[in-house]
Amino acid sequence: MKAFLLKYRVVDILTLCIALGVFLAVYRNVPALFAGVTVAQVAVIVVTALLVHTLKATRLFLALYGQKISISEHLALYCKVTPVSMVLPYKVGEFYRMYAYGTHLHSGLKGIVIILLDRFMDTAALVTMILLAAFFYGGGMSSLLMVLLIFLVLVVLLYRAFPSARAFWKHYFLTKKATPRRMGALKALEGFHRIYEEVSVVTSGRGILLYVLSILAWGVEIGSIVLQTKLFFGGAVADTMSAYLASAMSGDPSVPLRQFIFISVILLLVLFCVIQTVRAFSKKKG
């Protein structure tokens, strides 16, 4: 147990140090990033970040419902791992989120499934918002958007078709002569069934709500961009919104998105310190 905790601490510290290094390198010139930004605009971004992360933390806690994790534990974990996933490029931070939640839940599979489902819902909501923006404000579908849309549809179809496909192939393998290859295929099939069951447990009665929370989170974020454009820039809302959504989808943050990420990281780290301090005092009193 001590060796396991030591390993987790080492991975934890190394990942946080790498994320901190990347954050300091990317945001080494904060004054330039916020040049010309008014106090009122910063206040709008702060409120937006608080609302968005409240919705996303609620979505993830809802996905974790039934697991042995308290609200304070979840909030502390969310505030610690989310900045890493926001800062590290190419979604590498998602692996850390899987590792952290899997360790806390004492199940690597649960950690992987919950975070993958969280990313799926977030991506589905983002694609929905882009399609809605294209419908109301015009614009075509990019190749990346098309790929994401096809991927989402395929995942849903595979999920729906898996029970019947598993029943067919399981019956097929069990009625044939046992060979190492067939036994391996049967074992792999049961492994996929375990993943399917984990996803079913999380989405059962909650799938639509998880998606709605994702839509609300993106709605608040996009609404903030629209508000800032109207109040502080006076530019074309459609162009600004489309550019923001495109940068969120491509992984190449625009200036408004980089401002949102910077403020989000600072807020989450402050909240993490506050939560840990409160929990430490509570333990001492207890």
Side-chain angles (χ1 to χ4, degrees):
M1 186 65 179
K2 288 184 178 180
F4 173 78
L5 289 174
L6 179 61
K7 179 184 175 182
Y8 176 70
R9 298 280 185 187
V10 170
V11 173
D12 212 31
I13 293 170
L14 284 176
T15 305
L16 293 175
C17 287
I18 292 171
L20 178 60
V22 173
F23 179 74
L24 293 175
V26 173
Y27 295 96
R28 59 185 178 275
N29 194 356
V30 177
L33 178 63
F34 288 91
V37 177
T38 64
V39 174
Q41 190 178 345
V42 171
V44 170
I45 300 173
V46 169
V47 172
T48 301
L50 288 172
L51 289 174
V52 167
H53 288 292
T54 297
L55 288 167
K56 289 187 175 183
T58 302
R59 179 186 67 196
L60 193 51
F61 185 71
L62 186 63
L64 289 164
Y65 182 77
Q67 305 298 326
K68 294 181 179 180
I69 182 169
S70 66
I71 294 178
S72 63
E73 287 174 329
H74 167 61
L75 288 177
L77 196 55
Y78 179 89
C79 291
K80 184 178 74 170
V81 302
T82 303
V84 175
S85 66
M86 297 181 76
V87 169
L88 294 183
Y90 310 115
K91 302 299 180 183
V92 175
E94 297 305 316
F95 292 103
Y96 173 64
R97 287 216 300 160
M98 293 175 190
Y99 179 76
Y101 275 94
T103 302
H104 193 89
L105 298 173
H106 303 291
S107 172
L109 181 59
K110 288 183 184 295
I112 292 171
V113 168
I114 286 173
I115 297 305
L116 284 179
L117 182 63
D118 186 68
R119 291 307 313 161
F120 179 86
M121 291 298 180
D122 196 64
T123 304
L126 174 59
V127 169
T128 302
M129 295 301 292
I130 294 174
L131 291 175
L132 288 174
F135 178 78
F136 287 107
Y137 296 101
M141 291 180 64
S142 66
S143 56
L144 179 58
L145 178 61
M146 184 68 74
V147 169
L148 285 176
L149 184 58
I150 293 172
F151 170 76
L152 293 172
V153 172
L154 284 176
V155 169
V156 173
L157 290 177
L158 287 172
Y159 175 76
R160 292 294 184 183
F162 180 78
S164 57
R166 171 181 174 265
F168 171 82
W169 286 108
K170 184 176 181 179
H171 179 266
Y172 173 82
F173 287 128
L174 289 175
T175 55
K176 296 295 180 179
K177 182 180 178 180
T179 64
R181 182 177 294 181
R182 285 172 182 161
M183 293 304 295
L186 189 61
K187 186 176 180 181
L189 190 63
E190 291 308 301
F192 285 122
H193 180 59
R194 283 185 60 206
I195 296 173
Y196 174 83
E197 286 185 323
E198 289 290 345
V199 175
S200 297
V201 169
V202 176
T203 57
S204 179
R206 289 172 278 176
I208 295 298
L209 187 53
L210 295 174
Y211 177 68
V212 169
L213 287 170
S214 302
I215 290 288
L216 289 175
W218 277 110
V220 170
E221 199 167 335
I222 299 306
S224 171
I225 294 300
V226 172
L227 180 63
Q228 291 179 62
T229 301
K230 288 185 175 181
L231 292 180
F232 307 112
F233 303 119
V237 171
D239 293 340
T240 306
M241 185 170 59
S242 297
Y244 188 88
L245 287 169
S247 69
M249 183 177 62
S250 66
D252 183 19
S254 61
V255 171
L257 185 54
R258 290 180 64 212
Q259 291 171 346
F260 175 79
I261 291 173
F262 177 82
I263 289 178
S264 292
V265 169
I266 298 301
L267 284 175
L268 289 172
L269 291 178
V270 170
L271 285 173
F272 174 76
C273 293
V274 171
I275 292 168
Q276 292 295 78
T277 302
V278 170
R279 291 178 66 190
F281 275 113
S282 298
K283 285 182 180 180
K284 285 183 178 180
K285 288 182 179 179

